[in-house]
Amino acid sequence: ETACEPRRAPATPEVPDPMHDELLRLPTAAEAIGHGETTTRRLIREGRLRAVLVDGVLRVPRSAIDEFIASLPEAHPGADLT
């Protein structure tokens, strides 16, 4: 760092803003995680996928999709993927 260079703040991970988190309809959320609506509802019931009720209608926050995908185990080279 020189006298001419501005000091930069350290990079911080993005934290979702719950007030501006996009809320997805169930079919869109199901497509995003690669499952059908029935399986998506089961994941929500089991607490594995966060969801909210908006006026009695189920919605899945976009950040919940990202969290769910991040929680999945990685496939390793040579793993049986069938």
Side-chain angles (χ1 to χ4, degrees):
E1 176 178 337
T2 66
C4 296
E5 290 180 27
R7 178 176 231 149
R8 296 184 184 186
T12 57
E14 268 190 51
V15 177
D17 178 359
M19 296 302 291
H20 297 98
D21 200 355
E22 179 183 12
L23 298 175
L24 305 176
R25 295 179 62 225
L26 191 65
T28 305
E31 183 178 341
I33 63 172
H35 287 293
E37 290 182 44
T38 302
T39 300
T40 303
R41 285 183 189 276
R42 180 177 50 79
L43 292 168
I44 292 167
R45 258 193 327 275
E46 293 173 351
R48 295 174 56 198
L49 179 63
R50 283 188 305 111
V52 295
L53 285 174
V54 178
D55 294 328
V57 179
L58 196 61
R59 297 284 191 243
V60 178
R62 170 69 66 188
S63 62
I65 299 293
D66 298 336
E67 291 164 9
F68 176 78
I69 292 170
S71 75
L72 297 173
E74 290 187 29
H76 297 285
D80 182 12
L81 301 177
T82 58

